[in-house]
Amino acid sequence: TPKASGINQEIQYSLDHGITWQVMGNNTLTLTTPQTYEILFKSVDEAGNESNETKLYEIELNDGIPEITIKLNNDPIKKLINALTFGFFYQQTVSVDIEVEWYGNSGDIYYILDDDPNAKIPSDSDSRWTPGDHTSIDPDRKTMIYAKAVNKDGKTIITSSLYNVIADATPPTIAFDKTYGTWTKDDTLQATMNDNLSGIKEDAIQVKIDHKDKITTSMKNDVLTMSNLPEGQYQLQVQVEDNSGNETKENIEVKIDKTAPEVIGVKDKSVYHHYYLPRFIEVKDELSGVNSATIEKDGTTVSITKEIKINEIGTYVIETTDNAGNEGKVTFVLVPLPDIETEVDGSDESKEIIDQ
């Protein structure tokens, strides 16, 4: 900076954003340690007046070792890694470019694609090093990228993609643990999901049922458990996505019956008076249908295949089973009518007769 009006001026610099200032001897600053410097400069005269403008310069001092940048589809890995889970995921072919900042003499670039699940950083003398600064990864492949740069002075640096690069164009699979060729009373269904490359994206799993009731779901080790499935015959759909964005949907027709057959005409643990007219009994099951129904009295068992009538005094046991495996049992007693005089004497027994 030239002197103004005969007043001496000096140049000062700061390496800590203006907290401390030092004088530049002979207006020269020498940097020796390889790193990135942020330097402020200002001019100060003998009277302590400072220049109105303070300038900031960013200077990177390198020791001559090349710096490698690996790009996936033109995006630097350092940028992608901020949103990384446990790999770099793609559905289509991945373009790989290797760029080098030489800091002096240029040189040669090499790469290795290693599909070994236990891949390790290769040595400088590894025979797999391939000359070139570009390659590609086609589906379906999971690999580590290693890059090497050697300048004309023989200085070498090796770097990697840090995590696997996955090109996965194959959708995941879904397998249910049962089919519903027949009705069942089991209200739990499991769906095993598999994706060999990308892995299942658990927060993208969806379950839809053609039913008004809700179900309970849980996920463990790529197995989705759906419990408390409602009764009925309806469609259920599971949708899953892998980390590369491939989707799969699987539908299954569910047939669940959790209710035992209904016995019409009598109630369990009831007592009925014998009338001149018989009592009619029928067994129904609206979902899976009746598989078997029997009525037993005094050691004699008879099948119920249609509506029957009962008019004999005694204790009866009806046992039922539906086609889903639900079982039911109804016990009732048929007792004689009381004497006619009791019907007009106002007794409790007479009132019970009237109520029936």
Side-chain angles (χ1 to χ4, degrees), residues 212-232:
K212 62 182 179 61
D213 293 341
K214 295 182 179 180
I215 64 175
T216 302
T217 61
S218 62
M219 185 76 174
K220 184 178 181 181
N221 298 328
D222 289 344
V223 176
L224 175 68
T225 300
M226 295 158 279
S227 54
N228 298 322
L229 293 174
E231 287 187 309

Side-chain angles (χ1 to χ4, degrees), residues 173-186:
T173 60
I174 302 173
F176 295 109
D177 70 333
K178 63 170 63 73
T179 60
Y180 291 92
T182 59
W183 288 80
T184 179
K185 62 181 179 180
D186 183 3

Side-chain angles (χ1 to χ4, degrees), residues 140 142 168-176 190-202 205 219-224 238-244 246-250:
D140 285 318
K142 179 179 182 179
D168 182 3
T170 303
T173 60
I174 302 173
F176 295 109
Q190 289 188 327
T192 300
M193 304 170 188
N194 184 59
D195 192 278
N196 292 327
L197 288 178
S198 302
I200 300 299
K201 189 176 181 181
E202 292 192 8
I205 295 173
M219 185 76 174
K220 184 178 181 181
N221 298 328
D222 289 344
V223 176
L224 175 68
V238 174
Q239 177 177 324
V240 64
E241 179 181 336
D242 65 21
N243 287 295
S244 288
N246 302 295
E247 291 185 356
T248 297
K249 296 178 182 178
E250 288 290 345

Side-chain angles (χ1 to χ4, degrees), residues 79-204:
K79 172 185 175 182
L80 296 172
I81 208 167
N82 292 329
L84 184 68
T85 52
F86 52 91
F88 302 99
F89 301 101
Y90 299 88
Q91 282 183 294
Q92 307 301 327
T93 297
V94 183
S95 176
V96 180
D97 292 288
I98 302 168
E99 297 182 355
V100 178
E101 182 66 55
W102 293 104
Y103 299 113
N105 294 328
S106 62
D108 300 315
I109 300 173
Y110 305 85
Y111 67 86
I112 291 175
L113 300 182
D114 193 342
D115 296 357
D116 189 333
N118 301 311
K120 297 180 181 179
I121 296 178
S123 65
D124 184 19
S125 59
D126 195 305
S127 61
R128 296 174 297 167
W129 286 115
T130 302
D133 61 1
H134 175 80
T135 186
S136 60
I137 302 170
D138 295 324
D140 285 318
R141 189 176 185 184
K142 179 179 182 179
T143 189
M144 283 284 290
I145 303 173
Y146 297 98
K148 179 175 75 168
V150 184
N151 68 12
K152 300 302 182 183
D153 297 328
K155 292 184 176 180
T156 301
I157 185 170
I158 297 174
T159 190
S160 75
S161 55
L162 299 178
Y163 297 90
N164 283 296
V165 179
I166 299 102
D168 182 3
T170 303
T173 60
I174 302 173
F176 295 109
D177 70 333
K178 63 170 63 73
T179 60
Y180 291 92
T182 59
W183 288 80
T184 179
K185 62 181 179 180
D186 183 3
D187 65 355
T188 299
L189 175 66
Q190 289 188 327
T192 300
M193 304 170 188
N194 184 59
D195 192 278
N196 292 327
L197 288 178
S198 302
I200 300 299
K201 189 176 181 181
E202 292 192 8
D203 59 359

